Amino acid sequence: MESTANETRDDPGQQLLSIGEMARASGLTVSALRFYDGAGILLPVQVDPGSGYRWYGSDQRTEARLLARLRRVGMPLADLRLILAGWAGQDTALVGKLLDAHLLRLQDGLDDARRELSTVRDLLALREHQMPETADTAPVRLTLEAEALAAALDTVRFAVSTDPELPMLGGVCFDVDPEDRTLRLVATDRYRLALSQLPLDARSAPVARQVLVPAALVDAVRALLGSGGEAVLTLDLDRISLEAGGSQAGGSVLEHDFPDYRRLVRLAPGRRVPVDVPALRAALSTAEVHGSRRDQDGGDFDIAVLGVSPDGALTVVSREDRPADHFAVNREFLLDALAVTARDQLVLELGGPVAPLAIRLPDAEDGREDGRSLSLLMPVRLDDE
């Protein structure tokens, strides 16, 4: 290799390319070029003895581009060596046989993947139509304070998805937990999640029941709760109904399984920061926007960046002044989450720049460890990070 490098360096007609130039010319990354050098597949013609910097000959671009194509289709490392050797020696028969063998492997792998995924779909269909042996099919009747149920619905309604491709997120999950005598209301649109919990009094005899109530029916139920007093909520297997203030609303539930929200809200403990909600809302309304981003649903949103000051206060920061432990969020989503609680004091729990941001009630109002009210916002990664 040393003699080749020297000859190349002394050859005035040979143009040398830096590793970055070769990466741009071939479609391989710099790290991939280093890997293939170490594997003895594509060697640079010259390596600086002091810095270790690699230089490639301009005539190696063809081999590098070929290598990039083979890399994209997952060609095994051992075959790469043979193909490049055959390419250099114009051994078309060898190269053709290796390409055919790899194509056959890919076809076999695709057939295996189809069979496995088909089996998983069959198991999923069986699970969807299989009623648990312990399920109680009798209607579940709950007596609740109308005002408390209205507040709980307001706390989660904003997080319902409107994506028609995800019908399992197009409503509010009503989940009765008989062990701790709690009704949980949950909604999520992937980017945020809202949970509210209502304790059940002695008049209710709950059994486990979980139904997904479409957004339109949630709104109809909420409209009956403005007069206060008591409300009787009945959860059947395929429908719900509510009686309140002498009126009744009801309808069919969605025939979809809601995601396991308990896994989503099971967060590692983070730093808890008290928040003055009016001050934070005012700061968000006038703060610098850190660019706009298009989400997976095709909508544009503004990014706000938050940080914690040395004295422990939550602040809205600029791009230039953001601290190391900053985190970025969808500004509109954060404002929505702050508005629905109707509280002037909240607690933000920060688990890190890539962990969900949790918005909770203060401990004095919360009353239980896992929180009666909780909103989660997924963080946004800034373009320069």
Side-chain angles (χ1 to χ4, degrees):
M1 181 63 198
E2 285 297 329
S3 61
T4 302
N6 290 333
E7 291 169 2
T8 303
R9 184 166 51 242
D10 296 337
D11 181 2
Q14 171 73 338
Q15 178 186 2
L16 295 182
L17 301 176
S18 70
I19 191 171
E21 291 171 330
M22 179 57 81
R24 291 189 291 273
S26 66
L28 290 169
T29 64
V30 170
S31 60
L33 286 168
R34 294 194 185 105
F35 172 78
Y36 289 128
D37 176 18
I41 294 178
L42 185 64
L43 303 176
V45 298
Q46 183 174 314
V47 179
D48 187 285
S51 64
Y53 201 82
R54 297 165 174 83
W55 296 89
Y56 293 83
S58 57
D59 58 354
Q60 291 182 289
R61 283 179 293 195
T62 299
E63 288 190 359
R65 289 167 181 161
L66 175 63
L67 187 56
R69 292 180 181 275
L70 297 174
R71 175 185 173 90
R72 285 194 288 271
V73 297
M75 183 67 70
L77 207 59
D79 289 354
L80 287 175
R81 292 190 180 92
L82 293 175
I83 290 175
L84 288 185
W87 185 275
Q90 298 185 353
D91 189 346
T92 56
L94 173 63
V95 173
K97 288 180 180 179
L98 292 170
L99 295 179
D100 290 342
H102 185 57
L103 183 58
L104 183 59
R105 283 194 299 269
L106 292 176
Q107 290 172 340
D108 290 342
L110 183 57
D111 290 340
D112 289 342
R114 285 196 180 102
R115 284 192 293 271
E116 295 298 336
L117 292 177
S118 178
T119 300
V120 172
R121 288 186 181 277
D122 290 343
L123 293 172
L124 182 62
L126 179 62
R127 185 174 184 179
E128 287 177 345
H129 295 92
Q130 189 176 47
M131 182 67 65
E133 295 180 358
T134 58
D136 189 340
T137 59
V140 177
R141 291 173 60 86
L142 307 174
T143 301
L144 304 162
E145 294 295 330
E147 185 178 355
L149 180 57
L153 289 173
D154 291 342
T155 299
V156 302
R157 176 62 177 86
F158 75 99
V160 173
S161 172
T162 58
D163 187 347
E165 298 297 323
L166 296 171
M168 70 291 297
L169 305 182
V172 173
C173 174
F174 285 57
D175 186 17
V176 180
D177 188 337
E179 292 188 5
D180 63 1
R181 302 186 60 81
T182 297
L183 171 64
R184 296 188 180 93
L185 306 179
V186 194
T188 181
D189 61 2
R190 292 177 293 165
Y191 311 111
R192 50 189 172 174
L193 179 147
L195 176 147
S196 188
Q197 302 186 98
L198 292 172
L200 301 176
D201 61 23
R203 291 172 294 176
S204 300
V207 296
R209 178 64 48 83
Q210 184 178 112
V211 295
L212 181 58
V213 183
L217 183 51
V218 169
D219 294 339
V221 166
R222 174 63 182 86
L224 297 184
L225 299 171
S227 59
E230 291 184 346
V232 177
L233 178 66
T234 302
L235 305 179
D236 215 326
L237 294 178
D238 57 357
R239 62 179 287 111
I240 74 161
S241 63
L242 179 84
E243 299 177 26
S247 299
Q248 185 178 44
S252 299
V253 301
L254 296 174
E255 296 182 358
H256 301 286
D257 289 330
F258 194 73
D260 185 0
Y261 66 89
R262 293 175 180 83
R263 295 173 62 93
L264 302 176
V265 301
R266 195 178 301 136
L267 304 177
R271 182 177 183 182
R272 296 171 69 93
V273 181
V275 175
D276 182 313
V277 175
L280 179 57
R281 288 178 59 84
L284 287 169
S285 65
T286 59
E288 171 191 358
V289 175
H290 291 251
S292 295
R293 188 78 53 81
R294 182 171 293 270
D295 61 27
Q296 297 178 5
D297 300 327
D300 295 323
F301 64 90
D302 294 333
I303 301 170
V305 180
L306 307 178
V308 181
S309 65
D311 59 358
L314 188 75
T315 59
V316 182
V317 300
S318 66
R319 180 181 294 271
E320 294 75 15
D321 298 331
R322 64 182 187 264
D325 59 349
H326 67 275
F327 51 97
V329 294
N330 181 315
R331 182 170 67 169
E332 180 182 355
F333 284 0
L334 178 55
L335 287 169
D336 287 344
L338 295 174
V340 297
T341 61
R343 300 290 204 285
D344 287 341
Q345 298 296 320
L346 292 173
V347 172
L348 267 62
E349 188 167 348
L350 318 176
V354 296
L357 167 68
I359 303 173
R360 303 179 185 272
L361 295 177
D363 291 337
E365 299 181 48
D366 201 310
R368 63 177 67 188
E369 182 180 353
D370 57 352
R372 289 186 180 175
S373 179
L374 167 70
S375 292
L376 298 181
L377 296 183
M378 296 305 298
V380 177
R381 191 171 184 84
L382 296 174
D383 294 334
D384 57 354
E385 293 181 327

